[in-house]
Amino acid sequence: MSDVLTDAAFDAVRAGNPDQSPILAEMTEYGHDEHFPIVGPDAGRFLRLLARLADARRVFEFGSGFGYSAAWFADALPADGDLVLTDFDESNLDRATEFLDRAGYADRCTFEAGDAFESFESHDGPWDIVFIDCQKTRYADALDRAVPELRDGALVVADNVLDGPASPDELRQAFAGTAPSDAAAGIAKYVEKVRDAPFETAIVPLGEGLSVSRYSP
């Protein structure tokens, strides 16, 4: 179910989408069984579509968990593509490696445990897509780090901008200028940064809300 879409809209989206591949269905079930937050299959399909529309070859993730969003991105990348996964918990990346290897995508992936910001500094741009799903208080900092390494026309996608660690009501208040939590304040600060040039941004109510921004310096 979704706290962003109405039940009827959620059911319609789910009914209209095709089935997941067996490995993605397994990853979805694993996330649900382990109560591990994931973008979900509907948002995942949208991420894959974004990667294809952007003709992406290089993707960096600030926060990857067990590789769920990465599996959707990887499916859109060419065989010689470059996808960097990061997570503080090495066991999450071990699970990501297992899933993505079984899916046939591990050869285009780099798995880096530790601070995503340090990992980002160790790689050269330009990037076609940067996905932000780290600590919400660091979203704006991740954007600042990413901007100098983005190609013209690159996409920056942030998760949890309508729900998640901060509730929809908290986020509504934060967007209006009164942040009731650090997470809500961090997301609001990020959204303020991508509202105007050099970005064009839309918030998409899939999963727990995706902010999708096209960079054009």
Side-chain angles (χ1 to χ4, degrees):
M1 304 303 289
S2 171
D3 289 330
V4 175
L5 298 175
T6 64
D7 290 348
F10 176 80
D11 290 343
V13 169
R14 184 57 49 87
N17 276 328
D19 291 337
Q20 303 173 75
S21 69
I23 187 67
L24 282 166
E26 183 181 342
M27 293 179 76
T28 300
E29 183 177 1
Y30 175 83
H32 292 162
D33 289 347
E34 298 296 320
H35 304 288
F36 199 111
I38 57 175
V39 297
D42 305 309
R45 289 186 187 89
F46 184 67
L47 295 179
R48 182 173 62 190
L49 177 62
L50 289 177
R52 287 179 172 152
L53 291 173
D55 197 22
R57 301 182 64 86
R58 305 191 71 220
V59 178
F60 187 95
E61 292 194 333
F62 281 89
S64 299
F66 66 92
Y68 188 83
S69 56
W72 289 99
F73 280 129
D75 191 40
L77 298 184
D80 61 348
D82 181 16
L83 172 58
V84 179
L85 292 78
T86 64
D87 201 87
F88 274 113
D89 190 336
E90 190 166 357
S91 66
N92 286 337
L93 291 181
D94 289 342
R95 177 68 68 177
T97 302
E98 176 189 341
F99 277 127
L100 287 163
D101 183 54
R102 288 171 51 206
Y105 302 136
D107 59 346
R108 67 200 66 173
C109 297
T110 302
F111 304 87
E112 298 194 352
D115 190 301
F117 289 71
E118 295 179 5
S119 294
F120 189 79
E121 294 301 323
S122 70
H123 292 271
D124 293 327
W127 298 97
D128 301 309
I129 296 179
V130 169
F131 182 65
I132 301 177
D133 193 15
C134 54
Q135 301 97 320
K136 310 315 165 192
T137 55
R138 303 183 79 186
Y139 268 31
D141 292 337
L143 178 69
D144 289 341
R145 296 285 186 95
V147 165
E149 303 298 330
L150 298 175
R151 71 162 170 84
D152 187 0
L155 301 178
V156 182
V157 183
D159 192 23
N160 300 122
V161 299
L162 296 177
D163 195 15
S167 71
D169 189 57
E170 289 177 324
L171 288 164
R172 178 186 59 77
Q173 294 178 57
F175 294 149
T178 303
S181 70
D182 289 343
I187 293 170
K189 181 179 179 181
Y190 172 86
V191 170
E192 289 173 1
K193 279 179 171 284
V194 294
R195 279 177 175 168
D196 301 312
F199 292 100
E200 181 176 358
T201 297
I203 293 178
V204 180
L206 291 174
E208 293 186 334
L210 299 171
S211 170
V212 181
S213 304
R214 182 179 184 274
Y215 176 69
S216 183

